[in-house]
Amino acid sequence: MGRLNHQRPILQLIDAKKRGLAIVGLSASPLGKRYLTPGSTSASRLKKVPSEKEKIHRVAVAIVDRFIANGDCTDANLLLEFAKPGRDRDALREWFTLYGGMKIKDAEAFGKDRERSPDRDAGLANPYWSMREPPKRKAFHLDVELSGLVSKARERKLERMVGDNVPNSLLDDMESVLRRHGIGFD
């Protein structure tokens, strides 16, 4: 059995992750060397030193360029290792699915999304960290909604806003059914 060549980019990335250096050293990683070199299309012409998030964003845009050119999205999976765990990784995943023309396949690996094409310019203009958090889902309580609806209909009937099209017997029957099932009224 031969020895592993630890100069291969993927093995260097895995070694850096094991040592806990994956978040700190994007510029020194194989991805950074490939996408953040001064001659690359993703390198900035600005004089200021970019933050780690800006570097990750530039690499993400360059990965989308590569994906457009040859359909290779393996580096998108590797770039996720450099984002902070939690909100940043989730936002980067969402960014790739929204602007990169990719979708998450099994085992959270990216693949080509045949229904959506990459939108590089929109992705360049909207960095991954500026994406809104998905709205929190509110629980739906059927018992509360039904009892509220019956109460509201009865109040409106008393105020003559509902009209005569809702008979009192219907509201009484609905209340009795709800009470039979343990749903009370305030």
Side-chain angles (χ1 to χ4, degrees):
M1 181 178 215
R3 294 182 47 174
L4 287 176
N5 179 3
H6 284 275
Q7 298 304 314
R8 289 180 44 211
I10 187 67
L11 292 177
Q12 286 180 348
L13 185 67
I14 291 170
D15 289 343
K17 184 175 188 260
K18 285 180 184 175
R19 290 192 310 263
L21 301 175
I23 294 173
V24 178
L26 178 63
S27 297
S29 73
L31 282 176
K33 288 178 182 173
R34 178 184 300 162
Y35 294 114
L36 293 176
T37 58
S40 72
T41 58
S42 64
S44 174
R45 306 289 183 233
L46 301 174
K47 304 245 189 255
K48 71 173 191 150
V49 177
S51 69
E52 196 68 22
K53 282 185 174 185
E54 290 169 339
K55 289 178 187 177
I56 289 174
H57 180 66
R58 280 194 270 150
V59 171
V61 171
I63 288 172
V64 170
D65 288 340
R66 180 181 172 101
F67 179 68
I68 292 170
N70 62 14
D72 181 21
C73 59
T74 55
D75 288 343
N77 298 319
L78 298 176
L79 183 63
L80 287 176
E81 299 296 322
F82 289 94
K84 291 180 185 171
R87 177 66 189 127
D88 279 354
R89 276 194 193 160
D90 294 342
L92 191 58
R93 255 188 218 101
E94 186 179 340
W95 187 90
F96 274 121
T97 58
L98 187 61
Y99 300 115
M102 302 175 199
K103 66 180 178 181
I104 298 177
K105 299 188 313 185
D106 25 303
E108 296 190 13
F110 284 107
K112 182 175 179 69
D113 188 355
R114 302 211 184 274
E115 297 172 5
R116 175 177 245 157
S117 61
D119 190 358
R120 181 203 186 275
D121 296 332
L124 183 62
N126 299 312
Y128 73 92
W129 64 85
S130 68
M131 296 186 73
R132 288 185 298 146
E133 244 180 89
K136 299 219 188 285
R137 294 184 62 169
K138 238 171 62 174
F140 179 75
H141 300 286
L142 181 63
D143 54 349
V144 173
E145 297 294 327
L146 284 175
S147 62
L149 179 66
V150 171
S151 296
K152 190 173 185 178
R154 191 167 299 281
E155 288 172 13
R156 300 286 173 128
K157 182 144 180 84
L158 290 175
E159 297 171 0
R160 302 234 181 249
M161 294 176 77
V162 172
D164 293 330
N165 58 355
V166 179
N168 281 333
S169 61
L170 175 63
L171 295 175
D172 292 338
D173 289 344
M174 290 176 70
E175 281 181 3
S176 67
V177 167
L178 292 173
R179 281 195 179 107
R180 232 182 307 147
H181 288 283
I183 301 171
F185 291 87
D186 296 335

